[in-house]
Amino acid sequence: MKEQTECTTILVGKKASIDGSTMIARSEDGGRTIIPESFKVVNPEQQPKHYQSIISKQVIDDEDLALTPLRYTSAPDASGKNGIWAAAGINAENIAMTATETITTNSRIQGIDPLLTTEEGGLGEEDFVTLTLPYIHSARDGVKRVGYLLEKYGTYEMNGMAFSDKDEIWYLETIGGHHCAARRIPDDAYVIAPNRLNIDEFKFDDPDFVCSSDLKEVIESYNLNPDFEGYNLRHIFGSSTIKDAHYNNPRAWYIHNFFNPEFGGKPSDQDQPFICHANRKISLEDIKWAESSHYQDTPYDAYGDQGTAEQKKTFRPIGINRNFETHVLQIRNNVPAEIAGVQWLAFGPNTFNTFVPFYTNITITPASWQTTAKFDLTKIFWLNKLAAQLGDTNYRVYGELEADFEQKSLAACHKIQHDTDVAVKGLTGKDLQTKLETANNKMAEVVYNNTVELLGQMVDEGHGLMTLKYDLLD
């Protein structure tokens, strides 16, 4: 069984973003073994007509796959040995989905609606994108589809997931084995969701809040609400543990203070708000910095010089060696619908990679992003992994090289994207897709070449830093 991934989700409403787009982002993190990730398009004829989970052996009724599937992008595991794990993508109608964020639970709800065991069946992270994204026509549709699947098949793990279209973002969390709750993210707000149950305030009589039909009854019947007033789902169904204080809360705290320095608080604070507002409009670069962060300028930075050895290991950072794939799913509102969907994608540890803004109205992805399961330096995943492991040996020296590389790469991609947006005006159908695929290939090539150049610079700088040397020359 694949080690359960542990991630960091960032959501940005259209009035909170710099260009009026909706953006949903997540770093897909893994365990102690490397999990190579790929980038693929699933065309309608490739969507499974019969489906069985690898981990739980859950069989999906054919009637639940009978709807006409849409084309969609995905970021699946390269090996496929533990299932598809499609992770994230945008479908042909510009509906985006990211799944899943591993979250927490408590014994009270598990005693009422237990998670299934994998021997009993149920759905998990390997399944949700494949069974949902090709069949939805709005972000709200995604919530309904997942709610239906959970009620019918159940789940063996606790997961959070997000959906977006050009107008709305919805965040959903599973509760117990068969329940869920979701809320619409306000247009002017952002969300940071680490590996804990995150939804706090919940209003059962508000259309911007959706849940399983009997969820309120479950809360009341089993006396699950610890608060005197209102409903806080994190208090009711989630956790407030020492692990949260060290593993989860500090990640949110650090980014809240990045987006709004007046946020304050302490890293371990258990009741950090779910819905927040930044002191500026949030850009793609802000999200990349956040997903790459490791508590810079604090005593908790593993690469820094402010803290003690113990402090540097106190809190789990967002940017970590276990980042294997990170994405921002952007639905733009300032361009025609045919080019509105952009999947910003990066492979490997976020401290030494860059995002590439791939158009999603395509039928094929660049070859260098179609990852092989075995080490292969023609594939960007493995090149990024190598750069990160070399960079980790001396971040003080290599970090500035990476910063220059990232700015150079993002600038080049922005330029290609701006030029392409103009060049494809008036094109439709296959002619348009061909132009977008050409642009994607060009961006992939630029970033691949820039990464090779970065590695060369790191080798040059590192030559004189090797331990195995002798200063006297003959």
CSV table of all heavy atoms in Angstrom, one decimal, residues 172-223:
chain,number,residue,atom,x,y,z
A,172,LEU,N,-14.2,20.6,0.8
A,172,LEU,CA,-15.0,19.5,1.4
A,172,LEU,C,-14.1,18.7,2.2
A,172,LEU,O,-12.9,18.4,1.9
A,172,LEU,CB,-15.6,18.6,0.3
A,172,LEU,CG,-16.4,17.4,0.7
A,172,LEU,CD1,-17.5,17.1,-0.4
A,172,LEU,CD2,-15.5,16.1,0.8
A,173,GLU,N,-14.6,18.2,3.4
A,173,GLU,CA,-13.9,17.3,4.2
A,173,GLU,C,-14.8,16.1,4.6
A,173,GLU,O,-16.0,16.2,4.8
A,173,GLU,CB,-13.5,18.0,5.5
A,173,GLU,CG,-12.4,19.1,5.3
A,173,GLU,CD,-11.9,19.7,6.5
A,173,GLU,OE1,-12.7,20.1,7.4
A,173,GLU,OE2,-10.7,20.0,6.6
A,174,THR,N,-14.2,14.9,4.5
A,174,THR,CA,-14.9,13.7,4.8
A,174,THR,C,-15.0,13.6,6.4
A,174,THR,O,-14.1,14.1,7.1
A,174,THR,CB,-14.3,12.4,4.3
A,174,THR,OG1,-13.0,12.3,4.9
A,174,THR,CG2,-14.1,12.5,2.8
A,175,ILE,N,-16.1,13.0,6.8
A,175,ILE,CA,-16.3,12.9,8.3
A,175,ILE,C,-16.8,11.5,8.5
A,175,ILE,O,-17.8,11.0,8.0
A,175,ILE,CB,-17.4,13.9,8.7
A,175,ILE,CG1,-16.9,15.4,8.5
A,175,ILE,CG2,-17.8,13.7,10.2
A,175,ILE,CD1,-18.0,16.4,8.8
A,176,GLY,N,-16.0,10.8,9.3
A,176,GLY,CA,-16.3,9.4,9.5
A,176,GLY,C,-16.2,8.6,8.2
A,176,GLY,O,-15.6,9.0,7.3
A,177,GLY,N,-16.9,7.4,8.2
A,177,GLY,CA,-16.9,6.6,7.1
A,177,GLY,C,-17.8,6.9,5.9
A,177,GLY,O,-17.5,6.6,4.8
A,178,HIS,N,-18.9,7.7,6.2
A,178,HIS,CA,-19.8,7.9,5.1
A,178,HIS,C,-20.4,9.4,5.1
A,178,HIS,O,-21.3,9.7,4.3
A,178,HIS,CB,-21.0,7.0,5.3
A,178,HIS,CG,-20.7,5.6,5.2
A,178,HIS,ND1,-20.2,4.8,6.2
A,178,HIS,CD2,-20.8,4.7,4.1
A,178,HIS,CE1,-20.0,3.6,5.8
A,178,HIS,NE2,-20.3,3.5,4.5
A,179,HIS,N,-19.8,10.3,5.9
A,179,HIS,CA,-20.4,11.6,5.9
A,179,HIS,C,-19.3,12.6,5.4
A,179,HIS,O,-18.2,12.3,5.3
A,179,HIS,CB,-20.7,12.0,7.3
A,179,HIS,CG,-21.9,11.3,7.9
A,179,HIS,ND1,-21.8,10.0,8.4
A,179,HIS,CD2,-23.2,11.7,8.0
A,179,HIS,CE1,-23.0,9.6,8.8
A,179,HIS,NE2,-23.9,10.6,8.6
A,180,CYS,N,-19.8,13.8,5.1
A,180,CYS,CA,-18.9,14.9,4.7
A,180,CYS,C,-19.6,16.3,4.9
A,180,CYS,O,-20.8,16.4,5.1
A,180,CYS,CB,-18.6,14.8,3.2
A,180,CYS,SG,-19.9,15.0,2.0
A,181,ALA,N,-18.8,17.3,4.9
A,181,ALA,CA,-19.3,18.7,5.0
A,181,ALA,C,-18.4,19.6,4.1
A,181,ALA,O,-17.2,19.3,3.9
A,181,ALA,CB,-19.2,19.2,6.4
A,182,ALA,N,-19.0,20.6,3.5
A,182,ALA,CA,-18.3,21.5,2.6
A,182,ALA,C,-18.8,22.9,2.8
A,182,ALA,O,-19.9,23.1,3.2
A,182,ALA,CB,-18.4,21.0,1.2
A,183,ARG,N,-17.9,23.8,2.5
A,183,ARG,CA,-18.3,25.2,2.5
A,183,ARG,C,-17.7,26.0,1.3
A,183,ARG,O,-16.6,25.7,0.9
A,183,ARG,CB,-18.1,25.9,3.8
A,183,ARG,CG,-16.6,26.3,4.1
A,183,ARG,CD,-16.6,27.3,5.2
A,183,ARG,NE,-17.1,28.6,4.9
A,183,ARG,CZ,-17.2,29.6,5.7
A,183,ARG,NH1,-16.7,29.5,7.0
A,183,ARG,NH2,-17.7,30.8,5.3
A,184,ARG,N,-18.5,26.9,0.8
A,184,ARG,CA,-18.0,27.8,-0.3
A,184,ARG,C,-17.0,28.8,0.3
A,184,ARG,O,-17.3,29.4,1.4
A,184,ARG,CB,-19.1,28.5,-1.0
A,184,ARG,CG,-18.7,29.4,-2.1
A,184,ARG,CD,-20.0,30.0,-2.7
A,184,ARG,NE,-19.6,30.8,-3.9
A,184,ARG,CZ,-19.2,32.1,-3.9
A,184,ARG,NH1,-19.1,32.7,-2.8
A,184,ARG,NH2,-19.0,32.7,-5.0
A,185,ILE,N,-15.9,29.0,-0.3
A,185,ILE,CA,-14.9,30.0,0.2
A,185,ILE,C,-15.3,31.3,-0.3
A,185,ILE,O,-15.5,31.5,-1.5
A,185,ILE,CB,-13.5,29.6,-0.3
A,185,ILE,CG1,-13.1,28.1,0.0
A,185,ILE,CG2,-12.4,30.6,0.3
A,185,ILE,CD1,-13.3,27.8,1.4
A,186,PRO,N,-15.4,32.3,0.5
A,186,PRO,CA,-15.8,33.7,0.1
A,186,PRO,C,-14.8,34.2,-1.0
A,186,PRO,O,-13.6,33.9,-0.9
A,186,PRO,CB,-15.7,34.5,1.4
A,186,PRO,CG,-15.9,33.5,2.5
A,186,PRO,CD,-15.3,32.3,2.0
A,187,ASP,N,-15.3,35.0,-1.9
A,187,ASP,CA,-14.5,35.4,-3.0
A,187,ASP,C,-13.3,36.2,-2.6
A,187,ASP,O,-12.3,36.2,-3.3
A,187,ASP,CB,-15.4,36.2,-4.0
A,187,ASP,CG,-16.4,35.4,-4.7
A,187,ASP,OD1,-16.3,34.2,-4.7
A,187,ASP,OD2,-17.4,36.0,-5.2
A,188,ASP,N,-13.4,36.9,-1.5
A,188,ASP,CA,-12.3,37.8,-1.1
A,188,ASP,C,-11.4,37.2,0.0
A,188,ASP,O,-10.6,37.9,0.6
A,188,ASP,CB,-12.9,39.1,-0.5
A,188,ASP,CG,-13.7,38.9,0.8
A,188,ASP,OD1,-14.1,37.8,1.1
A,188,ASP,OD2,-14.1,39.9,1.4
A,189,ALA,N,-11.5,35.9,0.1
A,189,ALA,CA,-10.8,35.2,1.2
A,189,ALA,C,-9.8,34.2,0.7
A,189,ALA,O,-9.8,33.8,-0.5
A,189,ALA,CB,-11.8,34.5,2.1
A,190,TYR,N,-8.9,33.8,1.5
A,190,TYR,CA,-8.0,32.7,1.2
A,190,TYR,C,-8.1,31.7,2.4
A,190,TYR,O,-8.5,32.0,3.5
A,190,TYR,CB,-6.5,33.2,1.1
A,190,TYR,CG,-5.8,33.5,2.3
A,190,TYR,CD1,-5.1,32.5,3.0
A,190,TYR,CD2,-5.8,34.8,2.9
A,190,TYR,CE1,-4.5,32.8,4.2
A,190,TYR,CE2,-5.2,35.0,4.1
A,190,TYR,CZ,-4.5,34.0,4.7
A,190,TYR,OH,-3.9,34.3,5.9
A,191,VAL,N,-7.5,30.4,2.1
A,191,VAL,CA,-7.5,29.4,3.1
A,191,VAL,C,-6.2,28.7,3.1
A,191,VAL,O,-5.6,28.5,2.0
A,191,VAL,CB,-8.6,28.3,2.8
A,191,VAL,CG1,-8.4,27.0,3.5
A,191,VAL,CG2,-10.0,28.9,3.1
A,192,ILE,N,-5.7,28.4,4.3
A,192,ILE,CA,-4.5,27.5,4.4
A,192,ILE,C,-5.0,26.2,5.2
A,192,ILE,O,-5.5,26.4,6.3
A,192,ILE,CB,-3.4,28.1,5.2
A,192,ILE,CG1,-3.0,29.5,4.6
A,192,ILE,CG2,-2.2,27.2,5.3
A,192,ILE,CD1,-2.4,29.4,3.2
A,193,ALA,N,-4.9,25.1,4.6
A,193,ALA,CA,-5.4,23.8,5.2
A,193,ALA,C,-4.3,22.8,5.3
A,193,ALA,O,-4.0,22.2,4.3
A,193,ALA,CB,-6.6,23.3,4.4
A,194,PRO,N,-3.7,22.6,6.5
A,194,PRO,CA,-2.7,21.6,6.7
A,194,PRO,C,-3.4,20.3,7.0
A,194,PRO,O,-4.6,20.2,6.9
A,194,PRO,CB,-1.9,22.1,7.8
A,194,PRO,CG,-2.8,22.9,8.6
A,194,PRO,CD,-3.8,23.5,7.6
A,195,ASN,N,-2.7,19.3,7.5
A,195,ASN,CA,-3.2,17.9,7.7
A,195,ASN,C,-4.0,17.8,9.0
A,195,ASN,O,-3.7,17.0,9.9
A,195,ASN,CB,-2.1,16.9,7.7
A,195,ASN,CG,-1.3,16.9,6.5
A,195,ASN,OD1,-0.1,17.2,6.5
A,195,ASN,ND2,-1.9,16.6,5.3
A,196,ARG,N,-5.1,18.5,9.1
A,196,ARG,CA,-6.0,18.4,10.2
A,196,ARG,C,-7.4,18.7,9.6
A,196,ARG,O,-7.6,19.3,8.6
A,196,ARG,CB,-5.7,19.3,11.3
A,196,ARG,CG,-5.7,20.8,11.0
A,196,ARG,CD,-5.5,21.7,12.2
A,196,ARG,NE,-6.5,21.5,13.1
A,196,ARG,CZ,-6.5,22.1,14.4
A,196,ARG,NH1,-5.5,22.8,14.7
A,196,ARG,NH2,-7.4,21.9,15.2
A,197,LEU,N,-8.5,18.4,10.3
A,197,LEU,CA,-9.8,18.8,9.9
A,197,LEU,C,-9.8,20.3,10.1
A,197,LEU,O,-9.5,20.8,11.2
A,197,LEU,CB,-10.9,18.1,10.8
A,197,LEU,CG,-12.3,18.2,10.2
A,197,LEU,CD1,-13.0,16.9,10.5
A,197,LEU,CD2,-13.1,19.4,10.8
A,198,ASN,N,-10.2,21.0,9.1
A,198,ASN,CA,-10.0,22.5,9.0
A,198,ASN,C,-11.2,23.4,9.1
A,198,ASN,O,-11.2,24.5,9.6
A,198,ASN,CB,-9.2,22.8,7.7
A,198,ASN,CG,-7.8,22.3,7.7
A,198,ASN,OD1,-6.9,22.9,8.3
A,198,ASN,ND2,-7.6,21.2,7.0
A,199,ILE,N,-12.4,22.9,8.6
A,199,ILE,CA,-13.6,23.7,8.6
A,199,ILE,C,-14.0,24.0,10.1
A,199,ILE,O,-14.1,23.1,10.9
A,199,ILE,CB,-14.7,23.0,7.9
A,199,ILE,CG1,-14.3,22.8,6.4
A,199,ILE,CG2,-16.0,23.9,8.0
A,199,ILE,CD1,-15.4,22.1,5.6
A,200,ASP,N,-14.1,25.3,10.4
A,200,ASP,CA,-14.6,25.6,11.7
A,200,ASP,C,-16.0,26.0,11.7
A,200,ASP,O,-16.9,25.2,11.8
A,200,ASP,CB,-13.6,26.7,12.3
A,200,ASP,CG,-13.4,27.9,11.4
A,200,ASP,OD1,-14.1,28.1,10.5
A,200,ASP,OD2,-12.4,28.6,11.7
A,201,GLU,N,-16.4,27.3,11.6
A,201,GLU,CA,-17.8,27.7,11.7
A,201,GLU,C,-18.6,27.0,10.6
A,201,GLU,O,-18.2,27.0,9.4
A,201,GLU,CB,-17.9,29.2,11.5
A,201,GLU,CG,-19.3,29.8,11.5
A,201,GLU,CD,-19.3,31.2,11.1
A,201,GLU,OE1,-18.5,31.7,10.3
A,201,GLU,OE2,-20.2,31.9,11.7
A,202,PHE,N,-19.8,26.5,10.9
A,202,PHE,CA,-20.6,25.9,10.0
A,202,PHE,C,-22.1,26.3,10.2
A,202,PHE,O,-22.5,26.3,11.3
A,202,PHE,CB,-20.5,24.4,10.0
A,202,PHE,CG,-21.0,23.7,8.8
A,202,PHE,CD1,-20.2,23.5,7.7
A,202,PHE,CD2,-22.3,23.2,8.8
A,202,PHE,CE1,-20.7,22.9,6.6
A,202,PHE,CE2,-22.8,22.5,7.6
A,202,PHE,CZ,-21.9,22.4,6.5
A,203,LYS,N,-22.8,26.7,9.1
A,203,LYS,CA,-24.1,27.1,9.2
A,203,LYS,C,-25.0,26.2,8.4
A,203,LYS,O,-24.9,26.1,7.2
A,203,LYS,CB,-24.3,28.6,8.7
A,203,LYS,CG,-23.4,29.6,9.4
A,203,LYS,CD,-23.5,31.0,8.8
A,203,LYS,CE,-22.7,32.0,9.5
A,203,LYS,NZ,-22.7,33.4,8.9
A,204,PHE,N,-25.9,25.5,9.1
A,204,PHE,CA,-26.7,24.4,8.5
A,204,PHE,C,-27.8,25.0,7.6
A,204,PHE,O,-28.4,24.3,6.8
A,204,PHE,CB,-27.3,23.5,9.5
A,204,PHE,CG,-26.2,22.5,10.1
A,204,PHE,CD1,-25.6,22.8,11.3
A,204,PHE,CD2,-25.9,21.4,9.4
A,204,PHE,CE1,-24.7,21.9,11.8
A,204,PHE,CE2,-25.0,20.5,9.9
A,204,PHE,CZ,-24.3,20.8,11.1
A,205,ASP,N,-28.1,26.3,7.8
A,205,ASP,CA,-29.2,26.9,7.1
A,205,ASP,C,-28.8,27.9,6.0
A,205,ASP,O,-29.5,28.7,5.5
A,205,ASP,CB,-30.2,27.6,8.0
A,205,ASP,CG,-29.5,28.7,8.9
A,205,ASP,OD1,-28.3,28.7,8.8
A,205,ASP,OD2,-30.2,29.4,9.6
A,206,ASP,N,-27.5,27.8,5.6
A,206,ASP,CA,-26.9,28.7,4.6
A,206,ASP,C,-26.5,27.9,3.4
A,206,ASP,O,-25.9,26.9,3.5
A,206,ASP,CB,-25.7,29.4,5.3
A,206,ASP,CG,-25.1,30.5,4.4
A,206,ASP,OD1,-25.0,30.4,3.2
A,206,ASP,OD2,-24.7,31.5,5.0
A,207,PRO,N,-26.9,28.4,2.2
A,207,PRO,CA,-26.6,27.7,0.9
A,207,PRO,C,-25.1,27.6,0.6
A,207,PRO,O,-24.7,26.8,-0.2
A,207,PRO,CB,-27.4,28.5,-0.1
A,207,PRO,CG,-27.6,29.9,0.5
A,207,PRO,CD,-27.8,29.6,1.9
A,208,ASP,N,-24.3,28.4,1.3
A,208,ASP,CA,-22.9,28.3,1.1
A,208,ASP,C,-22.2,27.3,2.0
A,208,ASP,O,-21.0,27.1,2.0
A,208,ASP,CB,-22.2,29.7,1.3
A,208,ASP,CG,-22.5,30.7,0.2
A,208,ASP,OD1,-22.8,30.2,-0.9
A,208,ASP,OD2,-22.3,31.9,0.5
A,209,PHE,N,-23.1,26.5,2.7
A,209,PHE,CA,-22.6,25.4,3.5
A,209,PHE,C,-23.4,24.1,3.1
A,209,PHE,O,-24.6,24.2,3.1
A,209,PHE,CB,-22.8,25.7,5.0
A,209,PHE,CG,-22.0,26.8,5.5
A,209,PHE,CD1,-22.3,28.1,5.2
A,209,PHE,CD2,-20.8,26.6,6.3
A,209,PHE,CE1,-21.6,29.2,5.7
A,209,PHE,CE2,-20.1,27.7,6.7
A,209,PHE,CZ,-20.5,29.0,6.5
A,210,VAL,N,-22.8,23.0,2.8
A,210,VAL,CA,-23.4,21.8,2.4
A,210,VAL,C,-22.9,20.6,3.2
A,210,VAL,O,-21.7,20.6,3.5
A,210,VAL,CB,-23.2,21.6,0.9
A,210,VAL,CG1,-23.8,20.2,0.5
A,210,VAL,CG2,-23.8,22.7,0.1
A,211,CYS,N,-23.7,19.7,3.5
A,211,CYS,CA,-23.2,18.5,4.3
A,211,CYS,C,-24.2,17.3,4.0
A,211,CYS,O,-25.2,17.5,3.4
A,211,CYS,CB,-23.2,18.8,5.8
A,211,CYS,SG,-24.7,19.2,6.6
A,212,SER,N,-23.8,16.2,4.6
A,212,SER,CA,-24.6,15.0,4.5
A,212,SER,C,-26.0,15.3,5.2
A,212,SER,O,-26.0,16.1,6.2
A,212,SER,CB,-24.0,13.8,5.2
A,212,SER,OG,-22.7,13.5,4.6
A,213,SER,N,-27.0,14.8,4.7
A,213,SER,CA,-28.4,15.2,5.1
A,213,SER,C,-28.7,15.0,6.6
A,213,SER,O,-29.4,15.7,7.2
A,213,SER,CB,-29.4,14.4,4.3
A,213,SER,OG,-29.3,13.0,4.4
A,214,ASP,N,-28.0,14.0,7.2
A,214,ASP,CA,-28.3,13.7,8.6
A,214,ASP,C,-27.2,14.2,9.5
A,214,ASP,O,-27.1,13.8,10.7
A,214,ASP,CB,-28.5,12.2,8.8
A,214,ASP,CG,-27.2,11.4,8.5
A,214,ASP,OD1,-26.3,11.9,7.8
A,214,ASP,OD2,-27.1,10.3,9.0
A,215,LEU,N,-26.3,15.1,9.0
A,215,LEU,CA,-25.1,15.4,9.9
A,215,LEU,C,-25.5,16.2,11.1
A,215,LEU,O,-25.0,15.9,12.2
A,215,LEU,CB,-24.1,16.3,9.1
A,215,LEU,CG,-22.7,16.4,9.7
A,215,LEU,CD1,-22.0,15.1,9.8
A,215,LEU,CD2,-21.9,17.4,8.9
A,216,LYS,N,-26.4,17.1,11.0
A,216,LYS,CA,-26.9,17.9,12.2
A,216,LYS,C,-27.5,17.0,13.2
A,216,LYS,O,-27.3,17.1,14.4
A,216,LYS,CB,-27.8,19.0,11.8
A,216,LYS,CG,-28.2,19.9,12.9
A,216,LYS,CD,-29.0,21.1,12.4
A,216,LYS,CE,-29.4,22.1,13.6
A,216,LYS,NZ,-30.2,23.2,13.1
A,217,GLU,N,-28.3,16.0,12.7
A,217,GLU,CA,-29.0,15.1,13.6
A,217,GLU,C,-28.0,14.2,14.3
A,217,GLU,O,-28.1,13.9,15.5
A,217,GLU,CB,-29.9,14.2,12.7
A,217,GLU,CG,-30.7,13.1,13.5
A,217,GLU,CD,-31.5,12.2,12.7
A,217,GLU,OE1,-31.7,12.6,11.5
A,217,GLU,OE2,-32.0,11.2,13.2
A,218,VAL,N,-26.9,13.8,13.6
A,218,VAL,CA,-25.8,13.0,14.2
A,218,VAL,C,-25.2,13.8,15.4
A,218,VAL,O,-25.0,13.3,16.5
A,218,VAL,CB,-24.8,12.6,13.2
A,218,VAL,CG1,-23.5,12.0,13.9
A,218,VAL,CG2,-25.3,11.6,12.2
A,219,ILE,N,-24.9,15.1,15.1
A,219,ILE,CA,-24.3,15.9,16.2
A,219,ILE,C,-25.2,16.0,17.4
A,219,ILE,O,-24.8,15.9,18.5
A,219,ILE,CB,-24.0,17.3,15.6
A,219,ILE,CG1,-23.0,17.3,14.5
A,219,ILE,CG2,-23.6,18.3,16.7
A,219,ILE,CD1,-22.8,18.6,13.8
A,220,GLU,N,-26.5,16.2,17.2
A,220,GLU,CA,-27.5,16.4,18.3
A,220,GLU,C,-27.7,15.1,19.0
A,220,GLU,O,-27.7,15.1,20.2
A,220,GLU,CB,-28.8,17.0,17.8
A,220,GLU,CG,-28.6,18.4,17.0
A,220,GLU,CD,-28.1,19.5,17.9
A,220,GLU,OE1,-28.0,19.3,19.1
A,220,GLU,OE2,-27.8,20.6,17.3
A,221,SER,N,-28.0,14.1,18.2
A,221,SER,CA,-28.3,12.8,18.8
A,221,SER,C,-27.3,12.2,19.7
A,221,SER,O,-27.5,11.6,20.7
A,221,SER,CB,-28.7,11.8,17.7
A,221,SER,OG,-29.8,12.2,17.0
A,222,TYR,N,-26.0,12.4,19.3
A,222,TYR,CA,-24.9,11.8,20.1
A,222,TYR,C,-24.1,12.8,20.9
A,222,TYR,O,-23.0,12.5,21.4
A,222,TYR,CB,-23.9,11.1,19.1
A,222,TYR,CG,-24.5,9.9,18.4
A,222,TYR,CD1,-25.2,10.0,17.2
A,222,TYR,CD2,-24.4,8.7,19.1
A,222,TYR,CE1,-25.7,8.8,16.6
A,222,TYR,CE2,-25.0,7.5,18.5
A,222,TYR,CZ,-25.6,7.6,17.3
A,222,TYR,OH,-26.2,6.5,16.7
A,223,ASN,N,-24.7,14.0,21.1
A,223,ASN,CA,-24.1,15.0,22.0
A,223,ASN,C,-22.6,15.3,21.6
A,223,ASN,O,-21.7,15.2,22.5
A,223,ASN,CB,-24.2,14.6,23.4
A,223,ASN,CG,-25.7,14.4,23.8
A,223,ASN,OD1,-26.5,15.2,23.7
A,223,ASN,ND2,-25.9,13.2,24.4
